[in-house]
Amino acid sequence: MNEIPSMWRTELWHPLSVHFPIAILSLAAVIGMAYLLFKKKDCAPYLRFTLSLLLWCGVVLFWIAFYTGQEAYSVVVRQICDPRVLKSHLFWAYIAGTSFSLAALLDVMVRLVSLKFKSWITFGAIVLMLGGTICITYVGHLGARLVYQQAAGVYQPSEDCIEFE
């Protein structure tokens, strides 16, 4: 009789942690675009604060998800049929994380440099966030391919499902 594996396996921490930064960083990019559109309006300081808060929280959560992804990599790379998808998933995740991290650094610079360059630095940060959002979308697509096409990290019960009785 097979035993049902624990839900607290190393490879399952990644799907538990990855969805928060995807949502938060994508929302930060949307708020960034709204900030560019309404930066002359009264709501601009609130949009700017929300953008910074989401960006910094998202970057911290992203690197936690990246770490859990590397831990899962060592487990599932031996179980899947095409490890090139996994390597591409890891590569594009690194590019997305770098883009958002650079945007966060530019966000800090906005608070440190003179007023003359603030709008250009903010624009650069938002462009990096939009690029990071495109990358993170592709990373999500590759992650879905790993799970739904190759069953990465997925327990496959026996034919008669006797372990659930």
Side-chain angles (χ1 to χ4, degrees):
M1 181 169 157
N2 292 340
E3 191 171 308
I4 301 171
S6 168
M7 284 299 294
W8 303 110
R9 300 181 314 234
T10 302
E11 66 271 23
L12 297 185
W13 284 103
H14 184 61
L16 289 174
S17 64
V18 75
H19 297 99
F20 292 111
I22 290 172
I24 291 172
L25 291 171
S26 299
L27 185 59
V30 170
I31 297 289
M33 288 190 303
Y35 174 76
L36 288 179
L37 289 174
F38 302 114
K39 68 181 180 182
K40 303 282 186 202
K41 305 286 184 185
D42 292 339
C43 62
Y46 302 110
L47 290 172
R48 186 76 180 92
F49 174 77
T50 305
L51 183 156
S52 294
L53 183 66
L54 290 173
L55 179 60
W56 280 99
C57 289
V59 165
V60 169
L61 291 173
F62 179 88
W63 288 112
I64 290 170
F66 189 84
Y67 172 76
T68 60
Q70 285 189 314
E71 293 295 311
Y73 180 96
S74 61
V75 174
V76 299
V77 73
R78 288 175 252 134
Q79 300 171 348
I80 59 176
C81 298
D82 186 5
R84 293 175 301 176
V85 177
L86 186 58
K87 288 180 180 177
S88 185
H89 178 69
L90 181 65
F91 172 78
W92 284 104
Y94 183 76
I95 297 297
T98 302
S99 294
F100 282 111
S101 296
L102 288 174
L105 289 177
L106 290 178
D107 187 55
V108 169
M109 284 181 60
V110 165
R111 296 168 196 325
L112 300 178
V113 297
S114 67
L115 289 174
K116 186 177 180 184
F117 298 112
K118 267 189 174 179
S119 60
W120 283 107
I121 293 172
T122 300
F123 180 75
I126 292 169
V127 167
L128 280 170
M129 290 167 55
L130 292 174
T133 301
I134 292 169
C135 290
I136 211 166
T137 302
Y138 185 60
V139 170
H141 166 74
L142 292 173
R145 282 184 60 193
L146 286 168
V147 172
Y148 297 114
Q149 290 180 341
Q150 300 189 51
V154 176
Y155 170 69
Q156 297 176 359
S158 62
E159 268 187 41
D160 55 0
C161 298
I162 193 153
E163 61 268 30
F164 289 97
E165 292 177 7

